[in-house]
Amino acid sequence: MTMTKTEKTEEAHQGASVALWRAVITQAIADACGERQAEESSIQEAREWILGNSRDFHEVCALALLEPDKVSAFAQAQITAFAARPPRQRYGSSRIITHAGKSLTLEQWAHETGVSFSTLVSRLRAGMTTDQVLSTNDYRKQKRKALTND
């Protein structure tokens, strides 16, 4: 049986819709684990949504073509595994950065420079150079100043 163009379009749309709802669930699991250093209230909200057996959660699972019980069990396992890791290892503190002849971990560089560990991680994730990552400059202030001086 050959599919019509309309049937193919509907099938593609359904596939995209399923992918979107699965992305919603994936993001909720990441939030529930606290992977993005979110506020504690956001982490708790995500956990309650996934593990609380809500009607909304069941509806999203149905739209994602997933079984809510299996998603909840998977999320619980991820939350437990993430929580078991030491806080600094959750965000790559063992990563070695070499600068000006010194090789230190991110945690050591935070102590050495006085720049917070989370700021160093954010700068690395933003793709800044090593000089920029370890700089004591407040790039947010520079950006705001540039925006107001135009």
Side-chain angles (χ1 to χ4, degrees):
M1 180 177 148
T2 306
M3 292 177 67
T4 67
K5 186 175 182 179
T6 303
E7 290 171 329
K8 287 179 184 178
T9 302
E10 287 176 8
E11 187 175 293
H13 177 70
Q14 183 181 18
S17 178
V18 168
L20 173 66
W21 289 113
R22 287 182 178 187
V24 168
I25 292 169
T26 300
Q27 183 61 54
I29 292 171
D31 291 347
C33 289
E35 288 184 2
R36 294 185 173 61
Q37 298 178 344
E39 295 289 326
E40 188 60 37
S41 61
S42 297
I43 294 169
Q44 191 58 38
E45 186 178 315
R47 288 178 182 181
E48 287 172 7
W49 185 74
I50 294 168
L51 305 174
N53 206 23
S54 74
R55 190 167 149 193
D56 181 43
F57 175 71
H58 280 264
E59 186 175 339
V60 170
C61 286
L63 292 167
L65 303 178
L66 297 171
E67 294 181 39
D69 293 340
K70 288 184 179 181
V71 173
S72 293
F74 175 78
Q76 184 61 59
Q78 294 291 53
I79 292 166
T80 302
F82 191 82
R85 292 165 38 193
R88 294 294 188 197
Q89 287 183 359
R90 294 178 192 164
Y91 305 104
S93 66
S94 60
R95 181 172 178 173
I96 303 288
I97 304 283
T98 302
H99 178 68
K102 275 184 158 175
S103 295
L104 302 172
T105 65
L106 281 180
E107 192 166 354
Q108 291 168 328
W109 278 117
H111 181 72
E112 177 93 7
T113 63
V115 176
S116 74
F117 177 82
S118 61
T119 298
L120 294 177
V121 170
S122 295
R123 289 176 178 179
L124 280 170
R125 288 182 179 160
M128 292 184 171
T129 66
T130 304
D131 286 338
Q132 292 171 321
V133 168
L134 299 175
S135 172
T136 56
N137 289 338
D138 186 342
Y139 289 101
R140 293 174 302 170
K141 286 182 183 175
Q142 290 177 0
K143 187 176 183 180
R144 283 192 298 267
K145 187 175 180 181
L147 292 173
T148 58
N149 286 341
D150 287 342

